[in-house]
Amino acid sequence: MSLTPEDLIEKCPDLASLPDVYHKLNEAINSPSCTTGIISRIVSHDPSLTLKILKIVNSAFYGFPHEIEDIPQAIVIIGLQQLNDLVLAHSIINLFENKKTAPFSLEEFWKFSIASGLEAKILSSYSKQKSNDRIFVGGLLHNIGKLLMATAEPDLYEVCCQVSRDHNLSCFDAETKVFGFSHMDVNRVLMKSWNIPQSISEISSNYLTPEVSNELETESNFILVAHGICSALGLGTTGEIFLPEISDANVRAIQLNTAQLEESLIPLHEQFSEVTNTFLG
Amino acid sequence: MAEISTNRLKEGMTTQSEVVDKHGHTLIRANEEISKNHITLLKMWGVTSVTVKDSIKELDLDQLKAVYSTSIIDDLAIQANTKLRFIPEDNQVYSFLKKTFIEAEAKRSK
């Protein structure tokens, strides 16, 4: 019998759902009677989460000139959706903590993912093309399917990389050959299991084929280009041998040029280490 | 080509088309290299954005060979061609990613 993305989740039942705090927060944000007080209480109930959120909002990731001292202040400054996305990012990074993966390490995987999210966010700030402000979390999670594949079936994922190298196949084609599906399929199934908003799932699960994302094509293009740049820079790795297909049309679609891509490397290098340490530390 | 804000404009970029002020007077001709004076002029006349040509600093392998070693740079150029095999070579983004890869790896080799 052939393997399905659902089988991978079944093999790792502890990865099948996100912690309560994320769902409680989501529910509260979507409720008509939502107040800053209610949200603050939910977040403050988890001291390590509170500390993490404050560390992130005070880091180079936002670059605010004054220190943000508590959650209510953070909500006012970054807004509820951004707070929700940070809790989501923190919850997912925590969920995989101490998992054994192969052929890439957990640390290298997250470095690449954080770099991609950060670069997508920087590129979108350069562009006149309006984009969804969930672009960072979309970039952070665009390869999460690979992480589940490498956690649930490390030997098979190692074979995948070998097949890609030996037969000059893209990561997508090698995965489809070995597993019968790609990490983009796993992304979709995993995000559904986590009950993550459709927009984040769309942005991150179609980055190799932005044209199918419909309204979110721009965001997927940002993530594809950011992926290519971080991969060329070697900021972390997900075991991919070749860069995915990217053309000038993808760059034009986000209304940028190569000179601007080059310019974006400066803030990326400036922020990468601090942001990575803040999220992973 | 891309429309970029005057604040992000850098010396050495090339205009794609004529830059005019709000009355239609030409401030900079098309295909002109932007100088420091041009940027001051644009700000003075309240021009907020300019369309410039795509350009990146060319990959200069010889210059890199002088800093690192010939064998390292030659080896990285071959690795780059393999890594970028799915990206069409006649694209600007190909040249940019190749340069980015070689420079990052060369730095790492030190």
Side-chain angles (χ1 to χ4, degrees):
Chain A
M1 218 179 78
S2 60
L3 205 61
T4 66
E6 287 80 2
D7 294 338
L8 301 182
I9 301 181
E10 239 167 72
K11 275 196 96 170
C12 310
D14 51 336
L15 299 179
S17 53
L18 292 178
D20 272 354
V21 60
Y22 172 71
H23 295 295
K24 274 189 193 155
L25 192 65
N26 226 340
E27 207 176 295
I29 288 173
N30 292 318
S31 145
S33 55
C34 163
T35 64
T36 309
I38 296 175
I39 304 292
S40 301
R41 269 197 297 281
I42 296 173
V43 176
S44 308
H45 208 70
D46 183 337
S48 76
L49 175 67
T50 308
L51 205 66
K52 178 66 78 176
I53 298 291
L54 290 177
K55 258 176 95 176
I56 298 169
V57 294
N58 283 305
S59 74
F61 185 69
Y62 285 106
F64 292 128
H66 301 293
E67 197 184 338
I68 296 165
E69 288 166 357
D70 53 29
I71 297 293
Q73 204 185 348
I75 296 172
V76 172
I77 293 176
I78 66 169
L80 285 176
Q81 187 179 288
Q82 289 276 313
L83 178 83
N84 199 17
D85 285 357
L86 293 183
V87 173
L88 177 63
H90 171 73
S91 303
I92 294 175
I93 293 172
N94 262 7
L95 198 62
F96 281 88
E97 210 178 5
N98 301 324
K99 289 276 174 226
K100 291 247 173 317
T101 57
F104 49 83
S105 74
L106 206 52
E107 194 189 349
E108 289 297 309
F109 173 86
W110 284 123
K111 273 188 182 171
F112 180 75
S113 300
I114 293 168
S116 302
L118 193 57
E119 177 65 2
K121 181 171 169 258
I122 294 168
L123 291 177
S124 77
S125 75
Y126 279 19
S127 172
K128 284 197 158 184
Q129 182 85 44
K130 237 184 117 44
S131 68
N132 189 306
D133 56 6
R134 315 199 93 157
I135 192 93
F136 170 75
V137 78
L140 179 81
L141 299 179
H142 80 291
N143 271 335
I144 198 76
K146 262 188 208 177
L147 186 58
L148 181 62
M149 290 162 113
T151 307
E153 294 286 351
D155 294 343
L156 214 51
Y157 207 80
E158 198 121 37
V159 172
C160 213
C161 293
Q162 195 62 44
V163 167
S164 164
R165 188 178 294 114
D166 293 350
H167 299 276
N168 286 330
L169 287 178
S170 70
C171 162
F172 178 90
D173 286 340
E175 286 169 354
T176 311
K177 219 177 168 72
V178 174
F179 280 83
F181 48 82
S182 77
H183 66 278
M184 306 212 312
D185 300 314
V186 184
N187 263 21
R188 278 184 213 104
V189 174
L190 190 55
M191 290 196 187
K192 204 170 166 199
S193 166
W194 285 343
N195 228 338
I196 283 181
Q198 181 77 13
S199 60
I200 297 180
S201 174
E202 278 280 307
I203 296 174
S204 54
S205 308
N206 290 325
Y207 78 100
L208 291 176
T209 49
E211 63 283 1
V212 306
S213 309
N214 298 322
E215 289 132 64
L216 296 166
E217 184 178 346
T218 307
E219 287 76 6
S220 299
N221 266 312
F222 274 121
I223 293 172
L224 173 64
V225 176
H227 176 110
I229 292 174
C230 296
S231 189
L233 285 170
L235 297 176
T237 177
T238 60
E240 198 169 80
I241 323 283
F242 309 114
L243 263 68
E245 189 180 341
I246 309 172
S247 71
D248 286 349
N250 296 109
V251 181
R252 270 198 303 274
I254 47 175
Q255 295 189 16
L256 292 177
N257 61 23
T258 33
Q260 287 169 301
L261 299 188
E262 189 162 45
E263 203 187 319
S264 75
L265 303 184
I266 300 167
L268 177 64
H269 283 306
E270 278 170 3
Q271 297 175 27
F272 173 67
S273 298
E274 189 190 333
V275 173
T276 308
N277 291 338
T278 313
F279 273 94
L280 301 182
Chain B
M1 63 171 203
E3 198 183 341
I4 69 167
S5 103
T6 307
N7 290 333
R8 290 193 187 282
L9 209 57
K10 295 264 157 64
E11 287 177 58
M13 288 179 173
T14 311
T15 52
Q16 174 75 33
S17 48
E18 206 178 48
V19 184
V20 294
D21 67 12
K22 60 182 173 188
H23 305 296
H25 299 135
T26 304
L27 297 178
I28 313 174
R29 286 191 299 269
N31 300 315
E32 188 116 24
E33 200 179 299
I34 290 168
S35 67
K36 210 173 169 184
N37 287 344
H38 282 141
I39 300 174
T40 314
L41 183 77
L42 294 171
K43 286 184 179 163
M44 215 150 74
W45 288 99
V47 177
T48 53
S49 65
V50 172
T51 308
V52 293
K53 288 191 170 171
D54 281 347
S55 65
I56 52 165
K57 280 177 233 112
E58 285 299 306
L59 173 64
D60 189 342
L61 288 180
D62 288 335
Q63 202 188 337
L64 284 174
K65 282 174 186 173
V67 181
Y68 302 96
S69 81
T70 305
S71 64
I72 286 176
I73 299 302
D74 283 342
D75 189 36
L76 287 175
I78 295 169
Q79 281 182 40
N81 291 342
T82 308
K83 207 171 163 68
L84 302 179
R85 66 163 60 240
F86 296 120
I87 304 179
E89 275 185 48
D90 56 354
N91 274 232
Q92 290 226 3
V93 72
Y94 179 91
S95 318
F96 164 71
L97 290 170
K98 184 171 177 177
K99 176 175 181 267
T100 303
F101 171 78
I102 294 177
E103 286 179 352
E105 289 298 322
K107 241 180 233 165
R108 208 163 280 145
S109 74
K110 268 211 157 175

